[in-house]
Amino acid sequence: MWVYEKKLQYPVRVSKCDPQMAKYLSEQYGGADGELAAALRYLNQRYTIPDKVIGLLTDIGTEEFAHLEMIATMIYKLTKDATVEELKAAGLGAHYAAHDSALFYENASGVPFTAAYIQAKGDPLADLYEDIAAEEKARATYQWLIDMTDDVDLQDSLKFLREREIIHAIRFREAVEMIKDDRQQQKVF
Protein backbone atom coordinates (compact mmCIF):
# COMPACT_ATOMS: atom_id res chain seq x y z
CA MET A 1 0.00 0.00 0.00
CA TRP A 2 1.18 3.50 -0.68
CA VAL A 3 1.39 6.44 1.63
CA TYR A 4 1.06 9.56 -0.48
CA GLU A 5 2.37 12.87 0.78
CA LYS A 6 1.05 15.87 -1.11
CA LYS A 7 4.48 17.16 -2.00
CA LEU A 8 7.01 16.46 -4.70
CA GLN A 9 9.99 14.20 -4.03
CA TYR A 10 12.20 17.25 -4.65
CA PRO A 11 11.11 20.90 -5.07
CA VAL A 12 10.52 22.10 -8.62
CA ARG A 13 11.17 25.76 -9.31
CA VAL A 14 11.42 27.58 -12.61
CA SER A 15 12.53 31.17 -13.10
CA LYS A 16 10.72 32.00 -16.34
CA CYS A 17 8.17 30.94 -18.88
CA ASP A 18 9.98 28.74 -21.43
CA PRO A 19 7.71 26.69 -23.72
CA GLN A 20 10.68 25.50 -25.77
CA MET A 21 12.25 23.89 -22.70
CA ALA A 22 8.87 22.39 -21.80
CA LYS A 23 8.80 20.75 -25.23
CA TYR A 24 12.25 19.27 -24.65
CA LEU A 25 11.22 18.04 -21.19
CA SER A 26 8.32 16.12 -22.70
CA GLU A 27 10.94 13.59 -23.80
CA GLN A 28 11.22 12.54 -20.16
CA TYR A 29 7.44 12.60 -19.76
CA GLY A 30 6.32 10.39 -22.63
CA GLY A 31 9.46 9.33 -24.47
CA ALA A 32 10.97 5.87 -24.85
CA ASP A 33 13.58 6.52 -22.17
CA GLY A 34 11.37 8.69 -19.98
CA GLU A 35 9.94 8.29 -16.52
CA LEU A 36 6.62 6.67 -17.50
CA ALA A 37 8.35 3.98 -19.55
CA ALA A 38 10.77 3.29 -16.70
CA ALA A 39 8.05 3.04 -14.06
CA LEU A 40 5.94 0.67 -16.12
CA ARG A 41 8.97 -1.41 -17.17
CA TYR A 42 10.18 -2.02 -13.63
CA LEU A 43 6.76 -2.65 -12.11
CA ASN A 44 6.02 -5.14 -14.90
CA GLN A 45 9.36 -6.96 -14.70
CA ARG A 46 9.04 -7.64 -10.99
CA TYR A 47 6.65 -10.52 -11.67
CA THR A 48 9.36 -12.61 -13.37
CA ILE A 49 12.37 -11.60 -11.31
CA PRO A 50 13.84 -13.59 -8.37
CA ASP A 51 12.42 -12.78 -4.95
CA LYS A 52 15.72 -11.21 -3.88
CA VAL A 53 15.21 -8.21 -6.19
CA ILE A 54 11.42 -7.80 -6.41
CA GLY A 55 11.54 -5.08 -3.77
CA LEU A 56 14.20 -3.18 -5.69
CA LEU A 57 12.10 -3.08 -8.86
CA THR A 58 9.04 -2.07 -6.84
CA ASP A 59 10.89 0.71 -5.03
CA ILE A 60 12.53 2.15 -8.13
CA GLY A 61 9.37 1.74 -10.23
CA THR A 62 7.29 3.73 -7.76
CA GLU A 63 10.04 6.35 -7.46
CA GLU A 64 9.89 6.79 -11.24
CA PHE A 65 6.25 7.84 -10.83
CA ALA A 66 7.45 10.53 -8.41
CA HIS A 67 9.89 11.67 -11.10
CA LEU A 68 7.07 11.71 -13.65
CA GLU A 69 5.16 14.02 -11.31
CA MET A 70 8.19 16.32 -11.11
CA ILE A 71 8.53 16.45 -14.91
CA ALA A 72 4.81 17.20 -15.26
CA THR A 73 5.19 20.04 -12.75
CA MET A 74 8.16 21.46 -14.67
CA ILE A 75 6.27 21.37 -17.97
CA TYR A 76 3.24 22.98 -16.37
CA LYS A 77 5.27 25.76 -14.77
CA LEU A 78 7.23 26.42 -17.96
CA THR A 79 4.06 26.84 -20.03
CA LYS A 80 1.40 28.17 -17.66
CA ASP A 81 1.93 31.82 -18.64
CA ALA A 82 2.74 31.18 -22.31
CA THR A 83 0.65 32.81 -25.01
CA VAL A 84 -0.62 30.83 -27.98
CA GLU A 85 1.98 32.62 -30.11
CA GLU A 86 4.77 31.57 -27.75
CA LEU A 87 3.55 27.98 -27.82
CA LYS A 88 3.45 28.01 -31.62
CA ALA A 89 6.94 29.52 -31.78
CA ALA A 90 8.22 26.73 -29.52
CA GLY A 91 6.79 24.06 -31.82
CA LEU A 92 3.86 23.30 -29.52
CA GLY A 93 1.12 24.58 -31.81
CA ALA A 94 -0.07 21.09 -32.76
CA HIS A 95 -0.07 20.06 -29.10
CA TYR A 96 -2.11 23.15 -28.21
CA ALA A 97 -4.59 22.44 -31.01
CA ALA A 98 -5.15 18.88 -29.78
CA HIS A 99 -4.79 19.25 -26.00
CA ASP A 100 -4.81 22.96 -25.05
CA SER A 101 -2.53 23.14 -22.00
CA ALA A 102 -3.19 19.55 -20.86
CA LEU A 103 -0.19 17.29 -20.56
CA PHE A 104 -0.14 14.36 -22.95
CA TYR A 105 2.19 11.39 -22.97
CA GLU A 106 4.33 12.14 -25.99
CA ASN A 107 8.02 12.66 -26.66
CA ALA A 108 9.71 15.93 -27.62
CA SER A 109 8.91 15.27 -31.29
CA GLY A 110 5.20 14.86 -30.52
CA VAL A 111 5.12 11.07 -30.98
CA PRO A 112 2.58 9.54 -28.55
CA PHE A 113 3.71 7.11 -25.87
CA THR A 114 3.47 3.46 -26.82
CA ALA A 115 3.69 0.23 -24.85
CA ALA A 116 6.46 -0.81 -27.27
CA TYR A 117 8.77 1.29 -25.07
CA ILE A 118 8.34 -1.16 -22.19
CA GLN A 119 10.83 -4.02 -22.34
CA ALA A 120 10.44 -7.30 -20.48
CA LYS A 121 12.21 -10.48 -21.52
CA GLY A 122 11.49 -12.68 -18.51
CA ASP A 123 15.17 -13.43 -18.03
CA PRO A 124 16.41 -11.67 -14.88
CA LEU A 125 19.82 -10.74 -16.23
CA ALA A 126 18.50 -9.58 -19.60
CA ASP A 127 15.86 -7.46 -17.87
CA LEU A 128 18.30 -5.95 -15.39
CA TYR A 129 20.80 -5.09 -18.13
CA GLU A 130 17.90 -3.43 -19.99
CA ASP A 131 17.12 -1.49 -16.82
CA ILE A 132 20.74 -0.36 -16.42
CA ALA A 133 20.72 0.85 -20.03
CA ALA A 134 17.42 2.67 -19.47
CA GLU A 135 18.82 4.47 -16.43
CA GLU A 136 21.99 5.45 -18.28
CA LYS A 137 19.98 6.79 -21.23
CA ALA A 138 17.80 8.80 -18.84
CA ARG A 139 20.91 10.13 -17.10
CA ALA A 140 22.34 11.27 -20.44
CA THR A 141 19.06 12.92 -21.42
CA TYR A 142 18.93 14.80 -18.12
CA GLN A 143 22.46 16.05 -18.69
CA TRP A 144 21.52 17.32 -22.14
CA LEU A 145 18.41 19.01 -20.72
CA ILE A 146 20.57 20.69 -18.06
CA ASP A 147 22.86 21.91 -20.83
CA MET A 148 19.89 23.34 -22.77
CA THR A 149 18.65 25.75 -20.11
CA ASP A 150 20.13 28.72 -18.34
CA ASP A 151 17.43 28.59 -15.65
CA VAL A 152 19.41 27.69 -12.52
CA ASP A 153 16.26 26.78 -10.60
CA LEU A 154 15.22 24.30 -13.28
CA GLN A 155 18.78 22.98 -13.52
CA ASP A 156 18.67 22.22 -9.80
CA SER A 157 15.65 19.91 -10.15
CA LEU A 158 17.08 18.31 -13.29
CA LYS A 159 20.37 17.63 -11.49
CA PHE A 160 18.44 15.88 -8.72
CA LEU A 161 16.75 13.66 -11.30
CA ARG A 162 20.05 12.96 -13.07
CA GLU A 163 21.61 11.86 -9.79
CA ARG A 164 18.69 9.54 -9.00
CA GLU A 165 19.20 7.85 -12.40
CA ILE A 166 22.83 7.20 -11.45
CA ILE A 167 21.76 5.67 -8.12
CA HIS A 168 19.19 3.47 -9.86
CA ALA A 169 21.79 2.19 -12.33
CA ILE A 170 24.12 1.36 -9.43
CA ARG A 171 21.33 -0.52 -7.62
CA PHE A 172 20.48 -2.50 -10.77
CA ARG A 173 24.17 -3.40 -11.18
CA GLU A 174 24.15 -4.68 -7.59
CA ALA A 175 21.09 -6.78 -8.40
CA VAL A 176 22.87 -8.28 -11.42
CA GLU A 177 25.73 -9.36 -9.15
CA MET A 178 23.30 -10.84 -6.62
CA ILE A 179 21.66 -12.95 -9.31
CA LYS A 180 25.02 -14.03 -10.76
CA ASP A 181 26.25 -15.03 -7.30
CA ASP A 182 23.04 -16.96 -6.66
CA ARG A 183 23.43 -18.84 -9.96
CA GLN A 184 27.03 -19.77 -9.15
CA GLN A 185 26.22 -21.27 -5.77
CA GLN A 186 26.05 -25.03 -5.80
CA LYS A 187 22.47 -26.16 -5.38
CA VAL A 188 21.87 -28.97 -2.91
CA PHE A 189 18.51 -30.65 -2.85
Side-chain angles (χ1 to χ4, degrees):
M1 191 50 145
W2 289 1
V3 176
Y4 178 71
E5 292 183 44
K6 292 188 177 191
K7 66 178 188 174
L8 296 174
Q9 183 182 14
Y10 188 84
V12 169
R13 293 179 301 278
V14 301
S15 298
K16 61 185 176 182
C17 177
D18 189 349
Q20 187 68 56
M21 191 63 198
K23 180 179 176 168
Y24 299 146
L25 279 168
S26 67
E27 190 64 34
Q28 289 301 88
Y29 191 69
D33 302 318
E35 301 295 352
L36 178 63
L40 296 175
R41 176 185 302 115
Y42 307 150
L43 293 175
N44 185 57
Q45 289 174 352
R46 68 192 173 137
Y47 292 100
T48 55
I49 202 91
D51 289 345
K52 288 183 176 184
V53 293
I54 288 173
L56 176 66
L57 288 169
T58 303
D59 291 348
I60 294 176
T62 54
E63 184 178 347
E64 299 293 358
F65 280 125
H67 297 174
L68 186 68
E69 186 178 29
M70 289 176 64
I71 293 294
T73 301
M74 289 176 203
I75 293 169
Y76 170 76
K77 288 183 174 190
L78 289 166
T79 59
K80 73 179 181 121
D81 296 325
T83 66
V84 174
E85 291 305 316
E86 289 171 321
L87 293 171
K88 286 169 43 180
L92 291 170
H95 178 92
Y96 179 79
H99 308 288
D100 188 21
S101 61
L103 276 77
F104 185 75
Y105 293 109
E106 61 190 10
N107 68 13
S109 299
V111 177
F113 181 84
T114 173
Y117 295 160
I118 305 165
Q119 297 298 318
K121 192 67 175 173
D123 176 86
L125 292 177
D127 284 344
L128 287 168
Y129 281 122
E130 169 68 30
D131 299 344
I132 292 165
E135 293 295 326
E136 293 296 348
K137 290 185 278 186
R139 175 203 47 80
T141 301
Y142 279 122
Q143 184 58 56
W144 299 327
L145 290 166
I146 291 164
D147 295 344
M148 294 174 75
T149 184
D150 60 357
D151 184 334
V152 293
D153 289 330
L154 182 59
Q155 285 176 340
D156 179 59
S157 298
L158 292 171
K159 286 176 183 177
F160 170 82
L161 292 170
R162 180 192 61 199
E163 295 305 310
R164 293 307 301 158
E165 304 301 341
I166 293 167
I167 297 299
H168 294 169
I170 290 169
R171 297 295 313 278
F172 285 137
R173 284 184 182 93
E174 293 168 354
V176 164
E177 294 308 313
M178 287 171 52
I179 290 172
K180 284 182 178 179
D181 289 346
D182 190 51
R183 287 184 176 183
Q184 290 176 356
Q185 290 179 357
Q186 184 177 7
K187 306 290 182 191
V188 177
F189 296 98

